[in-house]
């Protein structure tokens, strides 16, 4: 072995002693706590109604990634060690924070104990990521120009990896692990508590307002909410005599299953809701319609595109897209593509559920079911998505554009016009 090689080996050995060894233990311990919580979430205290093997692939990927990071950490340069610590901190906090928030608004759930520990592990990893550059400042000092060049390269690389990998994975974690908010009391005794089975067997919970005109509407809330987010719409429909079924999508409120803010799997919830209404003595099975908000609108496009959906009419308020294919259909820049690809890919891995086919391909298949799409004006992508769907839709179809109105807020910001348009549309096809 040459003297140069011997020096390199000696340098490596020196790097894994003293402070570096302590940092490696710190990193390994915090990462292990986060991994234990991930396994707890996936297998031990998984969401009610979820099959045991749904998250097996995600667990394997998590274990492999954590093992590689822990093994590589002691030999990495200080900048990379800091980046690993910060990256893992963001992911641990994205998951653990959901459990901290849940405890703040409701009684602790079974996986909240390890979830809080994961949040604390995330804080420890973040502290480690900040400590490492401070502790090792000035080591292996080079010329001023070389040091600043290294910092610039490290900074740019960190921003790229943070934007294209860490941030979208964190968003996917939140989207598939959002905590359940407690279900509030119904607005009045007229809202009857009900449960029914989704098409895949999950038990869903909601409220039902009986029909006074033999017609009924399924209300599908947005991706981040539950049944309470559609109560203003329920009151509007009830005033006009419609029966209204408002329920928690899977993983939300009082319903079984895991959460998914992209609406993947929700088509089975809607199928169960339609079946529930068909068996109501106060409802004519030929006069069942549906109204979806945001993600709920996306889901209803998928449902209405299936043969024999059983819906007399569909209103989609705030439809956008729910997959990478959808995002590509309105055009993604080279900068945006990695973010969306990683986010949707991570969400599919974490949830164990595939997205729907591109909504652009499904909208033409909604006909002959009448479809009304409502597009708010203050969300640029919402307008672009709905303009795309209007180009490919078949009659009977209507697109109502609302410049300057907030996402799904037309019922509040244009109340009279919203009532005329929606009730008029439903009345033509459910009478």
């Amino acid at each position: 072995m040459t003297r140069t090689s011997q020096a390199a080996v000696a340098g490596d050995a020196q790097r894994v002693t003293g402070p570096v060894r302590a940092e490696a233990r710190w990193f390994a311990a915090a990462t292990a706590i986060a991994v234990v919580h991930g396994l707890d979430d996936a297998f031990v205290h998984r969401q009610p109604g979820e099959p045991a093997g749904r998250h097996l692939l995600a667990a394997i990927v998590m274990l492999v990634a954590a093992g590689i990071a822990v093994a590589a950490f002691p030999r990495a340069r200080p900048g990379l060690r800091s980046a690993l610590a910060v990256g893992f901190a963001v992911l641990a906090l994205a998951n653990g924070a959901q459990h901290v928030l849940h405890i703040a608004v409701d009684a602790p759930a079974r996986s909240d104990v390890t979830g809080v520990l994961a949040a604390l592990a995330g804080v420890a990893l973040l502290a480690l990521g900040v400590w490492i550059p401070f502790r090792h400042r000035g080591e292996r000092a080079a010329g001023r120009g070389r040091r600043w060049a290294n910092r610039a390269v490290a900074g740019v690389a960190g921003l790229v990896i943070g934007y294209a990998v860490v941030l979208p994975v964190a968003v996917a974690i939140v989207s598939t692990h959002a905590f359940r908010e407690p279900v509030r009391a119904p607005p009045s005794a007229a809202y009857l508590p009900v449960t029914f089975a989704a098409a895949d067997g999950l038990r869903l919970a909601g409220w039902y307002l009986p029909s006074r005109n033999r017609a009924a509407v399924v209300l599908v809330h947005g991706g981040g909410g539950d049944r309470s987010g559609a109560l203003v719409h329920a009151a509007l429909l009830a005033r006009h005599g419609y029966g209204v079924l408002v329920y928690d999508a899977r993983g939300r409120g009082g319903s079984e299953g895991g959460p998914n803010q992209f609406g993947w799997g929700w088509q089975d919830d809607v199928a169960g809701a339609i079946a529930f209404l068909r068996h109501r003595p106060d409802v004519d099975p030929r006069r069942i319609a549906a109204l979806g908000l945001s993600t709920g609108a996306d889901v209803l496009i998928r449902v209405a595109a299936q043969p024999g959906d059983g819906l007399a009419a569909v209103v989609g308020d705030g439809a956008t897209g729910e997959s990478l294919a959808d995002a590509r259909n309105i055009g993604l820049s080279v900068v945006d593509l990695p973010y969306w690809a990683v986010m949707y890919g991570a969400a599919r891995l974490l949830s164990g559920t595939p997205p729907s086919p591109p909504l652009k391909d499904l909208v033409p298949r909604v006909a002959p079911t009448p479809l009304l799409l409502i597009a708010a004006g203050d969300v640029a992508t919402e307008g672009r998505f709905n303009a795309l769907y209007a180009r490919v839709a078949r009659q009977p179809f209507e697109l109502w554009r609302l410049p300057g109105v907030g996402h799904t807020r037309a019922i509040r910001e244009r109340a009279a016009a919203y009532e005329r348009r929606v009730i008029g549309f439903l009345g033509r096809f459910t009478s």
Side-chain angles (χ1 to χ4, degrees), residues 45-409:
H45 294 134
R46 63 185 183 276
Q47 293 293 324
E50 289 221 305
R54 170 161 291 173
H55 304 293
L56 179 60
L57 180 57
I60 292 173
V61 171
M62 175 184 65
L63 288 169
V64 170
I68 291 174
V70 168
F73 190 90
R75 300 288 180 180
R77 295 176 65 89
L80 181 55
R81 294 201 304 274
S82 176
L84 281 172
V86 171
F88 274 59
V90 171
L91 301 184
L93 285 168
N95 194 337
Q98 297 299 308
H99 297 269
V100 174
L101 292 171
H102 180 257
I103 292 174
V105 300
D106 199 5
R110 295 173 299 175
S111 61
D112 283 343
V113 174
T114 57
V116 171
L117 292 176
L120 294 174
V123 173
L125 286 167
L126 189 60
L128 176 62
V130 173
W131 165 253
I132 289 173
F134 176 78
R135 172 62 181 79
H136 297 279
R137 66 192 185 282
E139 293 182 1
R140 299 180 132 192
R144 181 184 295 272
R146 177 66 178 273
R147 288 201 305 272
W148 280 106
N150 289 342
R151 290 168 183 167
V153 170
V156 171
L159 288 174
V160 170
I161 294 172
Y163 172 77
V165 180
V166 177
L167 179 59
V169 172
V171 171
I173 289 173
V174 173
S175 298
T176 56
H177 291 78
F179 68 94
R180 296 170 182 264
E181 295 187 19
V183 178
R184 298 183 241 165
S188 73
Y191 290 75
L192 306 177
V194 297
T195 60
F196 59 93
D200 60 355
L202 290 178
R203 299 302 301 178
L204 307 180
W207 295 316
Y208 178 65
L209 285 163
S211 177
R212 292 182 283 111
N213 65 2
R214 300 286 294 160
V217 179
V218 175
L219 269 179
V220 187
H221 61 72
D226 53 32
R227 73 183 89 166
S228 64
L231 289 179
V232 176
H233 297 78
L236 168 64
L237 294 165
R239 286 200 304 270
H240 291 269
Y242 287 95
V244 183
L245 176 60
V246 55
Y247 66 93
D248 303 320
R250 58 188 55 214
R252 307 300 298 158
S255 294
E256 292 183 339
N260 191 310
Q261 294 184 2
F262 302 114
W264 302 347
W266 288 21
Q267 69 277 3
D268 288 334
D269 301 351
V270 177
I274 295 170
F276 171 86
L277 290 177
R278 281 178 179 159
H279 291 89
R280 287 286 310 179
D282 56 314
V283 175
D284 182 342
R286 298 166 298 178
R287 300 171 62 190
I288 299 172
L291 191 159
L293 306 173
S294 191
T295 298
D298 302 338
V299 173
L300 287 182
I301 291 173
R302 179 174 186 176
V303 171
Q306 303 304 311
D309 60 88
L311 292 172
V314 170
V315 178
D317 186 346
T320 52
E322 61 174 43
S323 69
L324 179 61
D326 287 328
R328 281 176 165 164
N329 280 332
I330 62 167
L332 281 178
S333 69
V334 175
V335 174
D336 291 333
L337 181 59
Y339 175 93
W340 293 100
V342 171
M343 182 188 71
Y344 283 123
R348 180 168 186 171
L349 174 68
L350 292 167
S351 67
T353 306
S356 74
L359 297 186
K360 176 187 175 183
D361 298 341
L362 297 181
V363 166
R365 291 156 49 185
V366 172
T369 301
L371 174 63
L372 167 62
L373 293 181
I374 301 171
D378 69 347
V379 181
T381 55
E382 183 175 333
R384 291 164 64 191
F385 273 116
N386 281 272
L388 171 64
Y389 301 149
R391 289 197 297 269
V392 300
R394 297 172 182 167
Q395 294 301 320
F397 170 80
E398 298 178 22
L399 173 61
W400 186 25
R401 294 184 176 92
L402 291 164
V405 173
H407 180 60
T408 71
R409 292 192 58 82

